[in-house]
Each structure stands twice: as C-alpha cells, then as structure tokens.
Amino acid sequence: KAGVTQTPRYLIKTRGQQVTLSCSPISGHRSVSWYQQTPGQGLQFLFEYFSETQRNKGNFPGRFSGRQFSNSRSEMNVSTLELGDSALYLCASSPRGQVSSYEQYFGPGTRLTVT
Amino acid sequence: DQQVKQNSPSLSVQEGRISILNCDYTNSMFDYFLWYKKYPAEGPTFLISISSIKDKNEDGRFTVFLNKSAKHLSLHIVPSQPGDSAVYFCAAKETDKLIFGTGTRLQVFP
C-alpha cells in the first residue's frame, strides 16, 4: 500500500496570505488528523476528520480550518498567516474501528515558512 | 499546560548499550500510550504501544514500561544501534485523540 502523501513538501508564504495543504491517506483509512510541529512544542493536534466530518479539534484559532472529501483526502487551510505559523505540518491517517486504530501513520509533512 | 512531558530533549548512548527514554504524564484518564520515532525529513513512524491495563510490552529490541501510580512510561532499546538515532515521541490517548510529548533526540554513537 502507498503511504500517506502530503503536498506540497515545502512552501514559503508572506504574512497575511493564506495557504492550503493537501493530504492523501493510506487507501482504506477513513480518519485523517493534522498536527503542527514546532521546535520545543512537539506535535500539537489541530483537528481530525472522519468520513468528511470533523470529529476532534485542538486549541488553535479559527484561522486554521480543514475539510475532508468523500475519497478521504483532506485539506488544511490557514488564513491570514502569521510568522508564528511557520512549522512542519503533519498529516496522519488511521483505519479507525480496529484494535490498532490509534496507531497513526504519518506523511512526510509540509514545511511552511512565513516571511 | 503540557499533559505529556519528555523532560530530556536529548540523549547520547554508545552502540550496544541500553537506551532509556522517559515520558511523564499528568492525566490519569489516559488509557493507551504509544511511542513514535522520527527521522529528519520524514513523518513519525509508530514503534510500540501499551494499554493502561498492562505494565510492560515488548517487541524485539524495544520494550515499553508503564508505571501508572507514578504516571510514567519509559522506552528501553537494547542493544542500541546507530540506526536508532532519531527523535522519539511518546503519545497518550485522550478520549479520541493523541497528545504528544515534545520529543527526545537519541544519538547512538559507535
């Protein structure tokens, strides 16, 4: 099976702009979660989508939003970018409904730099 | 407030010896714990997990220990190999989501 793919891998944006990141989960996985990784903060949970519905949300401002399509692909959008949004954004998929459903499979991430 | 803490940002171990990575948590409602390994330019990969009803789980060179009374878990790698050099994250399940620690960078030298 192909792994989780994320596009683009690298992105440079300017403050105030918006950005959309894409994630394609492993075939058959219906749950997609997004995380922000910054130095010293580890992986901060953004939100999770399952069957096109947001199931969980972390403590991030409303500028961060996402959606999931019927084929389980997911997009994350950040509006009005701030310098502090510079981070590695990771997407993870999991099968859910199985015993090992909390073993998430991560993509390589999108490195976002805001200047 | 960080519910899952990895207080050692880095660890250096000689090849062949034991690596012990530690993780502390504050929420007694966590019922499932996982360890992930991350290489540069790659996403984290699942390593090993443990349910709160157990105190030990072993998989090859990797063993995770859970001490619920101390709210502490540890990952033991024996013997350590240079290929184990990576950042290790512990994570805890809170209802339907995972809470990750800040990571420990392990370096295994010859």
Side-chain angles (χ1 to χ4, degrees):
Chain A
K1 276 186 180 177
V4 177
T5 58
Q6 292 186 245
T7 56
R9 293 292 309 276
Y10 302 91
L11 206 49
I12 300 175
K13 290 285 190 178
T14 305
R15 268 182 305 176
Q17 288 186 315
Q18 72 149 17
V19 66
T20 299
L21 312 181
S22 180
C23 171
S24 292
I26 291 172
S27 177
H29 285 193
R30 295 165 64 189
S31 168
V32 174
S33 298
W34 288 88
Y35 294 86
Q36 180 194 66
Q37 184 189 2
T38 54
Q41 291 295 316
L43 277 71
Q44 303 281 307
F45 174 75
L46 280 155
F47 29 66
E48 179 200 5
Y49 285 86
F50 181 80
S51 293
E52 303 178 63
T53 302
Q54 187 180 88
R55 284 177 59 128
N56 284 295
K57 191 175 189 303
N59 297 322
F60 278 81
R63 300 185 297 107
F64 292 81
S65 63
R67 60 178 176 168
Q68 186 179 35
F69 303 94
S70 58
N71 61 358
S72 293
R73 189 177 70 86
S74 178
E75 288 182 347
M76 189 192 95
N77 184 275
V78 187
S79 62
T80 320
L81 283 165
E82 300 177 359
L83 293 179
D85 297 332
S86 295
L88 180 67
Y89 290 88
L90 291 159
C91 163
S93 75
S94 68
R96 285 293 190 157
Q98 299 180 18
V99 173
S100 60
S101 63
Y102 287 100
E103 296 166 12
Q104 297 190 344
Y105 299 82
F106 284 83
T110 294
R111 172 72 64 186
L112 172 65
T113 301
V114 182
T115 62
Chain B
D1 184 32
Q2 196 78 22
Q3 296 189 72
V4 179
K5 301 176 185 179
Q6 294 178 258
N7 293 317
S8 299
S10 64
L11 176 68
S12 189
V13 173
Q14 188 173 31
E15 181 179 5
R17 296 193 175 267
I18 184 171
S19 295
I20 300 176
L21 296 98
N22 295 303
C23 181
D24 296 297
Y25 60 96
T26 58
N27 190 340
S28 57
M29 298 303 292
F30 290 153
D31 60 359
Y32 194 71
F33 302 89
L34 308 89
W35 283 93
Y36 283 82
K37 177 171 71 174
K38 185 181 186 300
Y39 293 119
E42 296 181 14
T45 55
F46 169 75
L47 201 53
I48 192 169
S49 63
I50 187 167
S51 166
S52 61
I53 62 173
K54 295 185 176 181
D55 54 18
K56 176 183 175 181
N57 188 27
E58 192 172 352
D59 184 1
R61 296 186 297 113
F62 302 90
T63 303
V64 57
F65 295 92
L66 175 63
N67 182 334
K68 283 189 294 183
S69 60
K71 295 190 180 68
H72 176 84
L73 69 155
S74 60
L75 175 68
H76 292 211
I77 306 174
V78 183
S80 300
Q81 299 174 355
D84 296 328
S85 298
V87 177
Y88 290 78
F89 292 96
C90 67
K93 183 173 83 68
E94 177 190 58
T95 55
D96 274 349
K97 64 184 181 187
L98 294 182
I99 309 295
F100 283 83
T102 52
T104 296
R105 181 177 301 278
L106 172 65
Q107 183 181 7
V108 181
F109 60 93

